[in-house]
Amino acid sequence: MKKILVLLVSAFVCLSASAKVSGIEDAKKGDFNFGLQLGVPAVDKFENGHDPSATPTISLDASWVLTSGFINTKAFGQNGAVDLGLYYGFCHYSYDEHAVEETLNQNIILCRSGFHFQFLPKLDTYAGAFVGANLWFWEAEYAGQKSDNDDTDACFGLFTGAKYYFSDIFGVKLELGHDFNEDNYPLISGGLAFRF
């Protein structure tokens, strides 16, 4: 999976960099961005090796562009922006077989920061880092006996993505990411982007 992520990011950067367009700046200082996404969840989250069913990771993110236009290039004009934001994700895992019922709810709470650079009009490309926590809530029932537990783990990693805006306010987005601690961040997710 990591090789696929590196390959996709490399191809995206090479294709975007080949476009010679000037005067592009899509992320501007003061912009507030909001996103809603569905992502591919991590798998095999039960310690006993069960293969659970899982809902897609549902995530919300909000970010503010702190600065922009600090890079001047011949090919792409005034460009470059930095944002800071928050991310919340939720995923539900369940396993029910041989009189064993288990459920696991994952909550991902992160602080993210990204660097934006636009290669094509209406296409906001970015990459950044995140840090935060995974909050786990586990419940199990076996032979009439119930048990539960919760846990908190650190979460830190990298992400990259692109937003294509159909208008000044509305667009779609695609992100790739990796959590270096426990690999709990969605590898790939996509959804809607809003800019105010």
Side-chain angles (χ1 to χ4, degrees):
M1 288 297 221
K2 291 179 187 175
K3 290 180 182 178
I4 293 172
L5 178 62
V6 170
L7 179 64
L8 288 173
V9 170
S10 299
F12 179 74
V13 169
C14 290
L15 289 172
S16 297
S18 67
K20 298 294 182 186
V21 182
S22 62
I24 300 170
E25 186 186 16
D26 215 15
K28 294 181 180 69
K29 182 177 179 179
D31 283 353
F32 172 75
N33 298 293
F34 180 77
L36 173 64
Q37 301 180 102
L38 290 178
V40 177
V43 293
D44 196 15
K45 291 285 133 195
F46 293 108
E47 292 180 4
N48 55 18
H50 295 157
D51 186 18
S53 63
T55 63
T57 301
I58 302 167
S59 65
L60 300 170
D61 64 87
S63 64
W64 299 266
V65 179
L66 303 175
T67 185
S68 65
F70 55 89
I71 299 174
N72 189 6
T73 67
K74 288 182 180 178
F76 305 107
Q78 289 294 121
N79 215 318
V82 175
D83 72 1
L84 181 65
L86 300 173
Y87 174 98
Y88 172 76
F90 175 81
C91 189
H92 174 79
Y93 300 88
S94 62
Y95 175 83
D96 186 2
E97 194 172 319
H98 307 299
V100 176
E101 267 186 60
E102 292 183 76
T103 61
L104 184 66
N105 292 319
Q106 174 194 16
N107 294 273
I108 310 167
I109 301 171
L110 305 173
C111 180
R112 306 196 315 173
S113 183
F115 171 72
H116 298 248
F117 198 90
Q118 286 74 52
F119 298 99
L120 298 171
K122 300 183 181 181
L123 183 67
D124 178 15
T125 54
Y126 55 93
F130 59 80
V131 63
N134 277 304
L135 307 173
W136 300 98
F137 300 98
W138 174 80
E139 291 182 352
E141 183 174 347
Y142 178 70
Q145 299 291 321
K146 290 187 176 182
S147 60
D148 58 24
N149 194 10
D150 55 51
D151 191 19
T152 303
D153 297 309
C155 181
F156 54 91
L158 301 173
F159 66 96
T160 186
K163 301 175 189 176
Y164 183 83
Y165 287 99
F166 297 103
S167 70
D168 288 341
I169 296 173
F170 174 73
V172 292
K173 66 190 293 188
L174 179 69
E175 282 190 2
L176 305 171
H178 180 66
D179 170 13
F180 290 107
N181 189 30
E182 291 190 325
D183 203 15
N184 292 317
Y185 190 84
L187 174 67
I188 186 167
S189 55
L192 305 177
F194 302 91
R195 178 175 55 195
F196 305 99

